[in-house]
């Protein structure tokens, strides 16, 4: 800069001398020679400065006051990637890492801001030719001219990216440690706590002030053995990283499980200077795990093992049975009357009953016996080591005894009873699933008998069970395909001999096996629950037929349908009403035949439903009377209008004195109760006469007609077919 000015002065001097002639010529000449000397000196000095700058190992950039690059040494070239030729003449902004801000100004500091100070150091971000952005330490100084005026700027850059990154990393680590959800505790070589983070305080309840200077014994719960503690201490003194679960103690005294990992920090000499433990409170996790284990393996209602847990326990026992040739038994227990109790008294009573049953069964068993609840009212007992098969029979008897006692729940006295099926191993098999199925088959056999009791499984039962399974499948198809039919058996008055009604009896027209009677398939339908759908169909079909007869102008008589005990629930009245409504049938035209097994169920459940049906206008008949358990006196409690004397007692009439006596007792009693009597299965004239003489009201039997198809029955009604029952001395008439 100075050399240029000197050169300009020299040129002016020469011009003045050429233009001005002799005036002042000497002075000008002297000035000219002085300037020439100065210029020569300045020019001689320049390469030296340049050389110094060139040789400096620090990057140096010079700029004019407007920020345009005027100098660029090789170190700058090396750092920034631009050659001097590329850089000189450019505005310094070309090195900035950030784009200019929206006002067009440079994104960070402008050199002008620092000119006041003359020199300044600051950290800036710059971009290399390669595009790489780096942190640079920059010292900026002003070049002052001889006149004291600023001439330009010198910038001296050093790359500080590495240092910046380390600092940044430390800051980040500190933030991570503090914000971590895991508790962090650092101890020094004396095992004194020197650092804890916020999560530590949150988990343990101790603040940093309370913890610092103490040993980790602050959190000691006292539940661990000294061996375990020694292992943890060894890890803290550098025996190696350790990971595990430790029970800690919070400030409030509460114990909590924590998952801990411990590592140490060593100095250059390899000595442990610090140990740090990172831990998380896993009490919620543990509680959830425990809850999930409970849910997966235990029945929530009774707290007993569930099917999963049972399978596991029996599976283990069977594995050991294979090795050690031990014997065992599975008992499948199904409660009687549970469903109706649950339906009538509500699930709260049902639940309480199940809990009590579970409790009673458990008390009756030994500790080593397994008791599981595997379904609604189904329990399984596994006797995992018995010497004789008979032992399981003793256990079954004992369980039946405890269940035979009434249960007092919510003011109700409930009788349940149970069916128990037993399978034994290794005799019946060594697979859990097989043994459970076998015991189930035996249990179902007991159920079918209608009485409480127990049975051992036999292969014959299995064969029948399979046969039933096949029939069940086919029966479902029959229901859908319309292969079921109702036949009608007339009931005739023993006074007039006229048809006074009929009983609708189910028939299954099997595609391969021909007509199948209800005695074969109704029990299967009851067992499988298919009876609900079938019963529904029977009700609808009977009403539909009544409507068809009415529409055909036939004076319809009441039709009785058989209602299975399983069908008899609180929904029955509504279902019947719907069928009546659907076909516009008066209730008096429909009668219901129920069996005695229904009466031995909880009367307080059954009677309200019966009353409801009677209030609807339906008459109830007690079917197969005499074969069940109900005492005659007991009958008074039920709103029953008809007793049907079972065929079993009619067969022996009039030869068998016993049967005659029973028939007489039934008729007499029903007369006292003002109930109607119907004798079932009357096949002979002699039977008819005897019953007539007793005062029995109606008969139903082959003597008059077997069950027949609807059209055949309609023809009987149309022609007013009658039974010849006129007594020799008196003509019947009613
Ligand atoms: P139940 O209600 O006692 O029906 C009377 C049974 O005695 C009928 O047998 C009938 O055919 C038969 N029977 C009538 N008179 C005579 C006779 O003089 N001699 C002989 N040997 N038998 C006679 P079926 O039709 O085989 O029905 C058997 C049982 O199946 C019925 O006994 C009833 O308990 C049940 N059942 C029939 N239909 C239905 C139904 O729709 N629903 C339900 N739940 N059960 C039904
Ligand atoms: Mg019947
Ligand atoms: Mg009957």
């Amino acid at each position: 800069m100075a050399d240029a000015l000197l050169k300009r002065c020299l040129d002016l001097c020469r011009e003045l001398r050429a233009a001005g002639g002799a005036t002042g010529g000497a002075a000008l000449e002297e000035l000219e020679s002085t300037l020439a000397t100065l210029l020569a000196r300045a020019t001689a000095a320049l390469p030296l400065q340049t050389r110094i700058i060139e040789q400096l190992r620090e990057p140096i950039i010079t700029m004019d006051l407007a920020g345009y690059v005027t100098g660029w040494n090789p170190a700058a070239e090396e750092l920034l990637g631009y050659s001097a030729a590329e850089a000189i003449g450019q505005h310094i902004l070309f090195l900035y890492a950030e784009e200019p801000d929206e006002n067009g100004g440079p994104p960070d500091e402008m050199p002008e801001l620092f000119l006041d100070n003359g020199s300044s150091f600051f950290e800036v971000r710059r971009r290399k030719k390669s595009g790489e952005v780096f942190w640079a330490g920059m010292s900026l100084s002003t070049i002052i001219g001889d006149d004291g005026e600023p001439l330009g700027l010198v910038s001296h850059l050093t790359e500080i990216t590495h240092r910046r990154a380390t600092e940044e990393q430390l800051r980040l680590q500190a933030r991570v440690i503090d914000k971590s959800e895991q508790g962090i505790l650092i101890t020094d070589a004396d095992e004194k706590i020197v650092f804890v983070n916020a999560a530590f305080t949150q988990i343990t309840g101790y603040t940093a002030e309370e913890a610092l200077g103490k040993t980790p014994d602050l959190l000691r719960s006292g539940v661990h053995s000294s061996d375990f503690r020694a292992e943890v201490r060894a890890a803290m003194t550098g025996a190696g990283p350790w990971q595990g679960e430790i029970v800690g103690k919070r400030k409030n005294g509460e114990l909590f499980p924590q998952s801990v990992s411990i590592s140490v920090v060593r100095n250059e000499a390899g000595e442990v200077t610090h140990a740090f433990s990172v831990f998380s409170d896993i009490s919620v996790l543990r509680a959830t795990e425990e809850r999930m284990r409970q849910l997966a393996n235990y029945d929530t209602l009774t707290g007993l093992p569930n099917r999963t847990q049972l399978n596991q326990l029996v599976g283990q026992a069977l594995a050991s049975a294979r090795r050690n040739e031990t014997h065992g038994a599975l008992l499948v227990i199904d409660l009687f009357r549970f469903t109706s109790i649950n339906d009538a008294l509500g699930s709260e009573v049902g639940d309480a009953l199940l809990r009590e049953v579970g409790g009673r069964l458990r008390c009756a068993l030994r500790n080593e016996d397994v008791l599981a609840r595997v379904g609604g009212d189904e329990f399984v007992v596994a006797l995992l080591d018995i010497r004789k098969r008979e032992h399981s029979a003793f256990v079954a008897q004992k369980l039946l005894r405890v269940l035979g006692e009434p249960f007092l729940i919510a003011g109700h006295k409930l009788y349940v009873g149970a069916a128990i099926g037993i399978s034994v191993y290794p005799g019946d098999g060594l697979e859990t699933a097989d043994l459970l199925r076998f015991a189930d088959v035996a249990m179902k056999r007991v159920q079918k008998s209608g009485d409480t009791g127990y049975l051992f499984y036999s292969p014959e039962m299995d064969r029948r069970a399979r046969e039933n399974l096949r029939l069940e499948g086919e029966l479902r198809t029959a229901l859908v395909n319309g292969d079921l039919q109702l036949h009608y058996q007339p009931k005739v008055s023993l006074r007039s001999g006229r048809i006074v009604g009929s009983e609708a009896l189910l028939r299954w027209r099997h595609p391969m096996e021909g007509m199948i009677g209800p005695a074969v398939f109704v029990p299967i339908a009851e067992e499988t629950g298919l009876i609900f759908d079938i019963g529904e169909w029977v009700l609808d079909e009977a009403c539909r037929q009544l409507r068809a007869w009415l529409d055909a102008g036939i004076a319809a008589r009441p039709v009785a349908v058989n209602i299975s005990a399983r069908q008899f629930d609180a929904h029955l009245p509504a279902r019947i009403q719907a069928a009546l409504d659907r076909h516009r049938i008066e209730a008096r035209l429909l009668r219901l035949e129920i069996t005695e097994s229904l009466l031995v169920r909880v009367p307080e459940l059954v009677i309200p439903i019966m009353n409801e049906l009677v209030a609807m206008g339906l008459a109830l008949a007690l079917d197969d009377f005499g074969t069940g358990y109900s005492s005659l006196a007991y009958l008074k409690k039920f709103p029953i209008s008809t007793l049907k004397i079972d065929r079993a007692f009619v067969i022996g009439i009039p030869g068998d004195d016993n049967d005659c006596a029973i028939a007489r007792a039934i008729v007499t009693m029903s007369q006292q109760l003002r109930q109607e009597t119907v004798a079932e299965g009357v096949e002979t004239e002699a039977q008819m006469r005897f019953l007539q003489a007793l005062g029995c009201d109606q008969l139903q039997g082959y003597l008059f007609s077997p069950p027949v198809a609807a059209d055949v029955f309609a023809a009987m009604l149309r022609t007013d077919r009658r039974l010849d029952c006129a007594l020799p001395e008196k003509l019947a008439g009613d």
Side-chain angles (χ1 to χ4, degrees):
M1 191 65 70
D3 48 341
L5 292 170
L6 278 174
K7 191 167 179 307
R8 180 77 188 123
C9 292
L10 193 61
D11 288 346
L12 286 170
C13 214
R14 283 183 185 142
E15 269 173 45
L16 278 172
R17 258 205 324 140
T23 325
L28 271 175
E29 196 172 333
E30 192 187 335
L31 180 61
E32 191 186 320
S33 97
T34 310
L35 283 171
T37 314
L38 277 173
L39 183 63
R41 279 193 202 159
T43 317
L46 201 63
L48 184 66
Q49 284 171 12
T50 312
R51 266 205 307 281
I52 291 169
I53 289 177
E54 299 263 298
Q55 280 170 23
L56 269 176
R57 303 205 17 225
E58 320 280 72
I60 304 284
I61 301 168
T62 55
M63 290 159 272
D64 65 17
L65 288 173
Y68 289 92
V69 176
T70 54
W72 187 266
N73 73 351
E77 180 171 333
E78 196 185 325
L79 174 66
L80 295 157
Y82 295 99
S83 67
E86 285 172 311
I88 290 174
Q90 295 225 51
H91 193 278
I92 193 66
L93 276 175
F94 85 107
L95 291 178
Y96 280 39
E98 273 78 27
E99 297 299 318
D101 70 18
E102 56 195 9
N103 304 321
D108 52 23
E109 73 300 321
M110 258 310 276
E112 286 92 330
L113 291 175
F114 301 90
L115 290 182
D116 290 348
N117 308 336
S119 164
S120 191
F121 180 85
F122 39 103
E123 289 179 3
V124 293
R125 274 151 55 79
R126 292 290 178 261
R127 188 187 303 277
K128 299 183 183 180
K129 187 179 180 185
S130 63
E132 183 197 335
V133 171
F134 67 103
W135 279 97
M138 180 173 81
S139 64
L140 196 65
S141 331
T142 319
I143 308 166
I144 308 291
D146 295 342
D147 53 0
E149 284 299 306
L151 294 174
L153 299 160
V154 177
S155 152
H156 169 197
L157 288 178
T158 39
E159 190 169 12
I160 56 166
T161 297
H162 184 65
R163 179 168 65 75
R164 280 293 285 226
T166 314
E167 279 172 14
E168 190 73 12
Q169 214 172 346
L170 284 173
R171 255 199 306 279
L172 190 69
Q173 280 166 2
R175 243 198 340 262
V176 168
I177 287 176
D178 208 54
K179 290 276 178 290
S180 166
E181 278 180 23
Q182 299 198 300
I184 294 172
L185 168 148
I186 303 178
T187 50
D188 62 11
D190 296 330
E191 289 178 40
K192 293 273 184 305
I193 300 173
V194 293
F195 174 84
V196 295
N197 69 348
F200 172 94
T201 303
Q202 208 168 28
I203 296 171
T204 66
Y206 291 107
T207 62
E209 293 77 64
E210 288 166 329
L212 297 183
K214 310 265 169 47
T215 70
D217 274 350
L218 186 66
L219 306 177
R220 196 170 135 186
S221 63
V223 305
H224 294 291
S225 67
S226 50
D227 282 357
F228 180 85
R229 294 214 324 276
E231 190 184 316
V232 174
R233 278 203 60 193
M236 296 189 73
T237 49
W242 186 91
Q243 212 162 12
E245 280 182 23
I246 305 181
V247 176
K249 188 169 167 183
R250 301 189 220 271
K251 190 179 171 186
N252 65 10
E254 190 186 18
L255 301 188
F256 69 104
Q258 44 176 342
S259 161
V260 185
S261 52
I262 298 173
S263 321
V264 294
V265 184
R266 291 172 195 274
N267 59 17
E268 272 112 54
E271 295 152 347
V272 172
T273 58
H274 294 91
F276 63 92
S277 338
V278 179
F279 64 95
S280 42
D281 180 351
I282 51 171
S283 46
V284 176
L285 188 74
R286 276 284 162 280
T288 314
E289 269 174 16
E290 179 54 25
R291 176 102 190 94
M292 281 167 70
R293 205 179 63 81
Q294 277 283 339
L295 282 178
N297 294 300
Y298 293 87
D299 165 41
T300 41
L301 182 67
T302 59
L304 294 172
N306 63 9
R307 193 180 283 279
T308 315
Q309 175 80 344
L310 175 78
N311 282 340
Q312 203 180 332
L313 293 172
V314 174
Q316 284 162 4
L318 290 176
S320 108
R322 275 185 212 110
R323 284 195 305 275
N324 311 326
E325 298 186 0
T326 48
H327 299 246
L330 295 190
L331 285 72
V332 169
I333 306 166
D334 196 90
L335 301 184
F336 276 174
R337 297 187 271 276
F338 176 75
T339 318
S340 46
I341 292 174
N342 201 52
D343 286 353
L345 301 181
S347 57
E348 258 173 52
V349 171
D351 288 354
L353 177 62
L354 287 172
R355 273 195 291 269
E356 287 252 337
V357 167
R360 266 195 211 179
L361 292 175
R362 190 61 265 180
C363 284
L365 294 164
R366 294 198 191 144
N367 278 347
E368 60 268 30
D369 302 334
V370 175
L371 171 66
R373 177 170 171 244
V374 297
D377 60 347
E378 201 169 307
F379 293 82
V380 173
V381 170
L383 307 172
L384 299 179
D385 195 3
I386 51 171
R387 249 153 287 137
K388 285 208 286 187
R389 157 190 172 98
E390 286 68 38
H391 289 165
S392 52
F394 294 149
V395 174
Q397 284 164 359
K398 192 172 172 192
L399 298 180
L400 288 173
R401 232 184 357 259
V402 300
L403 292 181
E405 297 293 317
F407 288 84
L408 284 171
I409 289 164
H412 301 277
K413 198 172 185 181
L414 305 173
Y415 289 88
V416 282
I420 301 182
I422 308 172
S423 61
V424 291
Y425 63 82
D428 293 330
L430 271 169
E431 294 298 329
T432 315
D434 290 346
L435 290 167
L436 279 173
R437 191 170 64 78
F438 294 158
D440 202 59
V441 166
M443 182 275 289
K444 293 248 164 64
R445 268 294 283 277
V446 181
Q447 261 184 344
K448 210 174 274 178
S449 76
D451 203 356
T452 80
Y454 70 93
L455 267 183
F456 281 95
Y457 162 80
S458 76
E460 162 62 15
M461 286 179 189
D462 194 34
R463 202 191 53 71
R464 285 225 216 150
R466 283 172 195 278
E467 171 71 8
N468 285 353
L469 202 66
R470 177 183 68 83
L471 280 179
E472 184 203 335
E474 292 175 357
L475 191 53
R476 277 182 205 281
T477 319
L479 185 61
V480 177
N481 290 357
D483 291 337
L484 296 182
Q485 287 183 353
L486 285 185
H487 278 192
Y488 298 84
Q489 186 175 33
K491 292 180 181 172
V492 253
S493 160
L494 277 170
R495 278 185 281 278
S496 66
R498 298 179 74 170
I499 298 172
V500 289
S502 67
E503 176 175 7
L505 292 156
L506 249 183
R507 298 291 177 263
W508 175 7
R509 197 191 290 276
H510 192 282
M512 313 292 287
E513 292 168 29
M515 204 66 103
I516 301 182
V520 177
F521 66 86
V522 166
I524 298 174
E526 285 179 335
E527 198 176 293
T528 57
L530 207 53
I531 196 70
F532 290 104
D533 291 341
I534 292 180
E536 192 80 23
W537 178 84
V538 169
L539 280 169
D540 188 76
E541 173 60 15
C543 292
R544 187 200 62 77
Q545 187 60 66
L546 275 167
R547 168 58 34 212
W549 286 329
L550 289 169
D551 290 348
I554 296 166
R557 319 280 150 85
V559 172
V561 295
N562 294 281
I563 300 291
S564 146
R566 274 205 74 174
Q567 252 177 295
F568 203 90
D569 60 22
H571 307 292
L572 184 68
R575 285 203 294 261
I576 294 178
Q577 192 61 56
L580 291 171
D581 293 347
R582 212 161 27 243
H583 300 285
R584 293 173 287 117
I585 299 298
E586 291 171 52
R588 65 167 186 89
L589 283 180
L590 193 66
R591 293 176 170 228
L592 307 178
E593 293 192 6
I594 55 173
T595 53
E596 276 189 279
S597 64
L598 193 65
L599 306 190
V600 293
R601 292 217 309 225
V602 196
E604 61 231 62
L605 310 180
V606 173
I607 293 174
I609 304 172
M610 287 185 174
N611 286 336
E612 198 177 335
L613 293 167
V614 171
M616 281 164 61
L618 296 153
L620 302 181
L622 192 56
D623 209 349
D624 306 341
F625 187 70
T627 56
Y629 316 89
S630 43
S631 71
L632 299 180
Y634 198 62
L635 274 182
K636 275 195 285 192
K637 293 189 182 182
F638 300 93
I640 286 164
S641 52
T642 306
L643 286 187
K644 294 188 79 180
I645 307 171
D646 193 72
R647 196 170 73 88
F649 308 113
V650 175
I651 288 175
I653 289 171
D656 187 304
D657 290 348
N658 247 341
D659 286 355
C660 292
I662 291 170
R664 183 174 294 114
I666 295 173
V667 173
T668 313
M669 188 207 55
S670 69
Q671 282 169 344
Q672 278 167 9
L673 293 174
R674 302 193 193 290
Q675 287 163 337
E676 195 180 46
T677 42
V678 179
E680 288 185 298
V682 180
E683 295 183 357
T684 67
E685 178 116 10
Q687 288 166 340
M688 184 262 281
R689 291 286 169 216
F690 184 87
L691 291 159
Q692 194 180 30
L694 282 183
C696 178
D697 299 297
Q698 292 163 22
L699 72 74
Q700 182 186 340
Y702 295 172
L703 178 67
F704 184 73
S705 165
V708 292
D711 54 344
V712 179
F713 182 67
M716 283 184 208
L717 289 179
R718 227 181 258 120
T719 58
D720 193 16
R721 213 190 108 182
R722 296 187 193 196
L723 171 72
D724 180 12
C725 63
L727 290 172
E729 67 273 22
K730 166 183 165 234
L731 271 176
D734 62 350

